[in-house]
Amino acid sequence: MKFLLTKELGRLVKWLRILGFDTEYFKQDNTSSLIIEALRSGRIIITRNHRLPRSGGIQITVIEAERIKEQVAEVLKALKIKPDSDMMFTRCILCNEKLKEIEKEKVKDKVPEYVFKTQEDFITCPKCKRIYWQGTHWGDVTKTLKEIKWNS
Ligand SMILES: [Zn+2]
C-alpha cells in the first residue's frame, strides 16, 4: 500500500513513513497533477480536501481529524491497516527512502559522543545521509503509538 498525501498533511506524511509506509508528499495545489501522479505511481491519495474529483481508478481517503494522533488512527481505520512493528522505523522520515544499516565505526564523527557510547545499532538514509538510532529520535514515537488505539 503506497500513499500520496496532499500538502496540508505534512505531519501525517512523517508518521506514515515512521510506520514504514511508502509515502510521498504532494505540495502543489494543482489537482490534475495530483491525480496524474497518483495514477502514475499507483498511490492512494490521502487528503483533507473533500472536493477532489472522484475519477476512475483513483482511491481517495479523506481525513476529517485535525489532530495528528487522530489522523493516524483515522488512516489506519479507513484503510484497515494494522501497523507492523517489523516495518516501523525502516524509512527516512524526510526522504521516504528505505534505511540501511551502517557500521558503528562509520558514524563515529556524525553522532553526538554520548550517543556513540550508548548505542550499538545505527541506520542511515542512502539519500540524505541522516543517521538514525533507536531511542533518541524515535523515543516519543513508540509512546505516542501506544496512545493510538489501533483496533477501535
Ligand atoms: Zn533521508
Side-chain angles (χ1 to χ4, degrees), residues 9-39:
L9 292 172
R11 290 188 72 198
L12 188 58
V13 168
K14 286 187 183 167
W15 272 88
L16 291 176
R17 287 175 181 165
I18 288 169
L19 294 177
F21 293 103
D22 182 341
T23 307
E24 291 292 351
Y25 189 19
F26 195 86
K27 293 180 201 164
Q28 305 165 36
D29 267 323
N30 189 326
T31 302
S32 351
S33 308
L34 173 73
I35 302 284
I36 289 165
E37 177 57 22
L39 280 173

Side-chain angles (χ1 to χ4, degrees), residues 55-72:
S55 50
I58 294 277
Q59 193 179 343
I60 299 172
T61 298
V62 177
I63 296 297
E64 305 289 347
E66 286 178 15
R67 297 168 67 173
I68 182 62
K69 283 180 202 171
E70 289 160 17
Q71 289 180 346
V72 174

Side-chain angles (χ1 to χ4, degrees), residues 119-136:
Q119 299 290 322
E120 288 306 317
D121 300 313
F122 294 91
I123 43 181
T124 185
C125 170
K127 195 170 168 189
C128 73
K129 311 293 179 200
R130 188 176 176 183
I131 311 279
Y132 292 84
W133 58 90
Q134 282 291 327
T136 315

